[in-house]
Amino acid sequence: MRIEKNFSLKDHNTFHLPVCTRWFMEYDNEDELGRILRDEYFQELRSLHIGAGSNLLFVADFNGIIVHSRIRGIHVARETDTEVILRIGAAEPWDDVVRYAVSRGWGGIENLSHIPGEAGAAAVQNIGAYGVELKDVVDSVETFNQLTFEPHTYTVDACQYAYRRSIFKDEQRDPHIVTHLNLRLQKRPVLHLDYAPLRDAIGALASPTVSDVREAVGTIRRSKLPDPAELGNAGSFYKNPVITAEHAARIQQQYPAMPSYPQADGSLKLAAGWLIDRCGLKGRQIGGAAVHDKQALVLVNKGSATAADVRALSDLICKTVHEKFGITLHSEPDWLPPSFQAA
């Protein structure tokens, strides 16, 4: 167990804003987590459990306790002739999980290659990329209840997964901390190549493999998305909006080539980055915060960004997109404190 006071969170959020927490605590197993949660002093302070901070935007010092897992490990829990169930510690770096699976030829998460963050946060956020979401391969999620101090295992259905949502993000329910993630992977992979650039990248291969998909995803991501270690960012800053078919048709009258993705209910999902780009905001900078010049969906820290810079830039983007397209954008990362986020 590790306990630090007045701890800098600059290296625990990928946007690298210079904020601190009153207390920082790390645990190596469920027993240590239980000891932290049962502590009377802990219960008197606001607490937050984080992963690698890839989907958080700390915009002020945190006057409470930040809790972080050090539960790691990847091993085969069950196996058949066609499937394998991987049990993964919540603190395992997500891309290490993908690398492990791909190196063995197991399919299901290769499209999710090179996404920053940890496995536990991936389960909470229902990460997705290039036509695949984590929910597609989740077998179950193991958690620790912060109120009853008891372990619990959620089936994939009980996780209530939706677009970048899960039951673990619902603050109205008993708060659960993810300790392990169980994934169901395929020994005879079926590749998901619906995303055109990905399909084009490996289309010439006679028999593409999961390794080919992982390599192609890496090439595509590097061409568009900055490495948080080199340029602070929180990945995709906005969720792709879903609008009615009628609304989309009105926009397509002016922009016939607008990318859109039909949903089961007849609505259409649009690319938030495309909307921002069409507003002429790619490369726009306020203070130390900027819209990435290669991918308008990403906001970056040029090295000196403040919370006020990020908020002002986000306000400008949301206002401009709404005025031009009548669409309200919603942030993908969680703002802390939430009251700081633009309406």
Side-chain angles (χ1 to χ4, degrees):
M1 185 184 298
R2 174 189 181 189
I3 300 177
E4 301 273 358
K5 189 175 183 180
N6 297 325
F7 185 80
S8 172
L9 292 173
K10 190 170 184 179
D11 293 332
H12 286 268
N13 72 99
T14 57
F15 213 92
H16 303 313
L17 291 177
V19 294
C20 294
T21 180
R22 184 172 174 183
W23 291 99
F24 181 81
M25 300 183 181
E26 284 187 315
Y27 58 91
D28 295 293
N29 51 57
E30 289 90 335
D31 288 342
E32 289 185 356
L33 175 58
R35 285 166 54 194
I36 291 174
L37 297 179
R38 287 183 175 91
D39 188 280
E40 292 183 2
Y41 183 75
F42 175 89
Q43 293 176 354
E44 293 177 356
L45 293 177
R46 181 187 178 195
S47 64
L48 176 69
H49 193 283
I50 67 170
S54 60
N55 202 56
L56 297 174
L57 192 66
F58 285 100
V59 291
D61 288 344
F62 190 82
N63 185 27
I65 303 173
I66 293 292
V67 185
H68 181 250
S69 171
R70 291 196 299 204
I71 299 177
R72 297 189 61 170
I74 307 173
H75 75 270
V76 175
R78 302 193 304 277
E79 188 174 3
T80 69
D81 291 340
T82 60
E83 295 182 332
V84 59
I85 305 297
L86 279 189
R87 187 172 187 256
I88 304 144
E92 197 68 40
W94 171 251
D95 198 50
D96 287 359
V97 178
V98 181
R99 184 183 297 109
Y100 181 95
V102 168
S103 69
R104 288 156 176 77
W106 299 334
I109 55 176
E110 58 278 359
N111 291 46
L112 305 179
S113 293
H114 306 291
I115 295 178
E118 297 176 354
V124 173
Q125 183 69 8
N126 184 27
I127 60 172
Y130 309 118
V132 172
E133 290 184 310
L134 190 70
K135 69 177 180 59
D136 301 329
V137 294
V138 169
D139 178 76
S140 61
V141 177
E142 300 174 39
T143 69
F144 192 88
N145 190 301
Q146 296 185 67
L147 299 182
T148 66
F149 313 123
E150 295 177 346
H152 182 77
T153 299
Y154 283 84
T155 65
V156 63
D157 290 338
C159 292
Q160 297 181 20
Y161 280 125
Y163 178 55
R164 303 298 179 270
R165 295 292 302 176
S166 72
I167 194 173
F168 311 116
K169 298 187 77 171
D170 187 348
E171 296 181 356
Q172 301 305 313
R173 296 178 180 270
D174 286 352
H176 284 255
I177 292 175
V178 174
T179 58
H180 293 84
L181 171 62
N182 295 286
L183 300 182
R184 183 181 301 274
L185 304 179
Q186 304 303 314
K187 292 184 175 180
R188 302 183 183 93
V190 176
L191 303 184
H192 296 274
L193 305 177
D194 296 335
Y195 183 70
L198 180 57
R199 185 171 60 249
D200 294 343
I202 65 175
L205 300 178
S207 301
T209 65
V210 290
S211 293
D212 294 323
V213 173
R214 174 172 168 78
E215 182 176 351
V217 167
T219 299
I220 294 169
R221 290 184 68 90
R222 284 190 295 271
S223 71
K224 296 183 177 182
L225 303 174
D227 184 344
E230 299 175 0
L231 191 62
N233 70 91
S236 298
F237 201 85
Y238 298 101
K239 298 176 183 179
N240 289 325
V242 178
I243 64 175
T244 65
E246 293 76 16
H247 191 170
R250 291 196 297 272
I251 299 175
Q252 286 172 326
Q253 289 178 355
Q254 184 175 358
Y255 299 96
M258 178 186 71
S260 62
Y261 307 92
Q263 305 298 294
D265 62 359
S267 61
L268 282 89
K269 182 184 293 184
L270 307 186
W274 183 91
L275 297 170
I276 297 167
D277 195 6
R278 289 305 172 277
C279 290
L281 294 172
K282 185 181 286 185
R284 185 65 177 269
Q285 184 168 343
I286 296 179
V291 180
H292 190 44
D293 56 8
K294 292 183 179 179
Q295 170 53 273
L297 188 59
V298 178
L299 304 191
V300 297
N301 180 354
K302 289 286 192 175
S304 60
T306 65
D309 296 338
V310 178
R311 181 175 185 178
L313 183 59
S314 182
D315 284 350
L316 173 65
I317 292 169
C318 292
K319 179 176 182 291
T320 307
V321 169
H322 190 271
E323 288 177 348
K324 188 175 183 66
F325 295 107
I327 293 174
T328 300
L329 294 181
H330 297 281
S331 296
E332 186 163 320
D334 293 327
W335 296 57
L336 296 168
S339 59
F340 201 98
Q341 182 174 355

